[in-house]
Amino acid sequence: MSLFDRLVVGTLPFVPRALVGRVASRYVAGETLEKALDVIRTLAAEGAVATVDVLGESVTRREQTEAARDEYLRALDAIARTGVPANVSVKPTALGLAIDPALARENLHALCRKAAEVGTFVRLDMEDSPYTEATLRLALELKAAFGNVGAVLQAYLRRSLGDLDRLTAAKMNVRICKGIYVERREIAYRDPGVIVRNFAALVDKHLSAGGYAAIATHDEACVQAALSTIDRLKLGPEAYEFQMLLGVDPLLRKILIGSGHRLRVYVPYGRDWYAYSTRRLKENPSVARHILRATLGLGPASA
Ligand code: FDA
């Protein structure tokens, strides 16, 4: 990121919340489940499926984790009732992992049980490194108990290629992404080219071992590497899926769907949209620049 972009991103905390909300609305379905269902229907008309995320992470009180769990249960009921093509993605800290692993386990058991009842699937998102091992253990335990559970590996983590062995052995559906948190060099690659190569290696290793991979990226280099493995292994579209975030690169989404690949869009909703949206904006300073110009009362940038 250039120095200028870093400056732009640094000003985000001073931008009025309503303005961030307006520009960031492309990344979030809305505040309610009904809005999320509308977005999923629109995506379905394009040929995409969805994974629903109830926004909220790193909660500090038990009641907050119970509220998150109940909202997920409501979402699972709605998915079953309406028949929209969706499963759910869950941040373990939103269900209590930072408070007490036993609490997170209890809440996750309730979710996975409900998802199994209604015939859908729960993915445990991967958060920052203090939670990596606990999250993988939870995912393996839930997979053994319920079957309908998937995990995530981050290509920037040095440990991920090794962790993949445990997941592949458990026949886990694994989402592979670059990783979004700031991690120490001791445990994480920093060079973008190295991260892309590790992403490609993880996808290749998992698919070559017969595992189901969810290839979560908007980076053409990662997409191309995955397609090369898919081609080499002569895999059909039932062996993997691509995944993208709501609001990011709809053209790439269209290209992949048009080429016959399964494409799942990550659809976040909920009242806690601010932290998620600013994270998205920090990743995309060109959108953040538009916000800054609007805040300063300047017209749209020409580029
Ligand atoms: P890269 O960052 O190089 O982006 C490629 C291109 O896409 C850029 O040129 C940029 O223009 C565009 N782009 C990327 N992100 C954008 C954004 N937010 N807004 C606008 N444009 C953007 N991480 C994690 O640590 N744990 C997790 O569980 C998940 N889960 C997850 C699910 C799904 C479905 C996706 C797509 C991603 C995640 N991630 C994640 C986030 C992931 O780790 C990563 O930070 C982002 O996907 C960005 O990496 P790319 O591979 O897209 O490449």
Side-chain angles (χ1 to χ4, degrees):
M1 200 188 289
S2 73
L3 184 60
F4 180 69
D5 283 344
R6 250 180 260 160
L7 277 174
V8 170
V9 161
T11 60
L12 272 178
F14 307 106
V15 172
R17 204 178 151 93
L19 192 54
V20 174
R22 218 167 51 233
V23 182
S25 62
R26 59 191 269 203
Y27 301 120
V28 176
E31 294 203 352
T32 62
L33 173 58
E34 289 62 37
K35 287 263 167 35
L37 293 172
D38 285 345
V39 168
I40 296 169
R41 287 192 193 96
T42 306
L43 290 166
E46 273 181 35
V49 294
T51 186
V52 176
D53 169 41
V54 177
L55 289 169
E57 49 203 275
S58 278
V59 298
T60 51
R61 285 181 290 116
R62 191 182 181 97
E63 310 83 79
Q64 293 171 297
T65 74
E66 289 163 355
R69 178 201 62 201
D70 292 347
E71 186 59 29
Y72 269 108
L73 293 175
R74 226 165 66 80
L76 286 167
D77 269 331
I79 289 169
R81 191 181 64 247
T82 59
V84 294
N87 59 34
V88 296
S89 289
V90 186
K91 290 195 171 39
T93 61
L95 292 195
L97 190 58
I99 302 171
D100 176 3
L103 174 63
R105 178 178 299 111
E106 197 183 303
N107 285 329
L108 281 164
H109 268 253
L111 283 200
C112 295
R113 197 173 310 113
K114 166 65 93 180
E117 264 167 45
V118 302
T120 188
F121 171 90
V122 178
R123 185 173 312 272
L124 270 56
D125 283 344
M126 187 57 82
E127 300 174 87
D128 42 340
S129 57
Y131 304 109
T132 309
E133 186 57 32
T135 301
L136 290 176
R137 286 194 186 166
L138 267 173
L140 286 163
E141 180 195 318
L142 292 162
K143 167 81 179 156
F146 298 98
N148 59 339
V149 174
V152 177
L153 287 179
Q154 296 153 320
Y156 64 19
L157 285 192
R158 296 176 190 270
R159 59 179 285 170
S160 289
L161 266 176
D163 287 334
L164 184 57
D165 293 331
R166 291 196 274 166
L167 301 185
T168 309
K171 300 204 177 323
M172 186 81 82
N173 172 327
V174 183
R175 176 194 293 155
I176 294 154
C177 64
K178 286 186 181 176
I180 201 171
Y181 302 89
V182 178
E183 299 289 359
R184 288 174 296 119
R185 188 169 165 221
E186 283 83 347
I187 61 165
Y189 300 113
R190 289 274 171 85
D191 183 319
V194 173
I195 296 170
V196 170
R197 284 199 290 283
N198 205 38
F199 186 108
L202 286 161
V203 171
D204 192 285
K205 185 174 171 183
H206 193 50
L207 289 177
S208 299
Y212 187 95
I215 304 152
T217 185
H218 322 90
D219 183 345
E220 294 266 24
C222 293
V223 170
Q224 190 281 329
L227 289 175
S228 160
T229 294
I230 289 162
D231 178 66
R232 194 188 79 241
L233 297 172
K234 311 241 170 302
L235 297 177
E238 67 293 339
Y240 61 89
E241 65 190 45
F242 285 92
Q243 295 193 343
M244 295 176 64
L245 300 173
L246 184 67
V248 180
D249 205 345
L251 180 55
L252 180 59
R253 194 160 85 202
K254 197 167 159 202
I255 293 167
L256 289 170
I257 294 170
S259 310
H261 304 289
R262 188 181 297 167
L263 192 291
R264 191 176 300 276
V265 180
Y266 192 93
V267 176
Y269 80 93
R271 275 178 301 171
D272 286 341
W273 53 267
Y274 185 79
Y276 179 86
S277 303
T278 46
R279 239 190 0 247
R280 300 274 80 81
L281 291 170
K282 282 177 190 160
E283 271 180 67
N284 192 353
S286 70
V287 178
R289 264 200 301 269
H290 290 307
I291 298 189
L292 187 62
R293 291 184 69 85
T295 311
L296 298 174
L298 304 170
S302 49

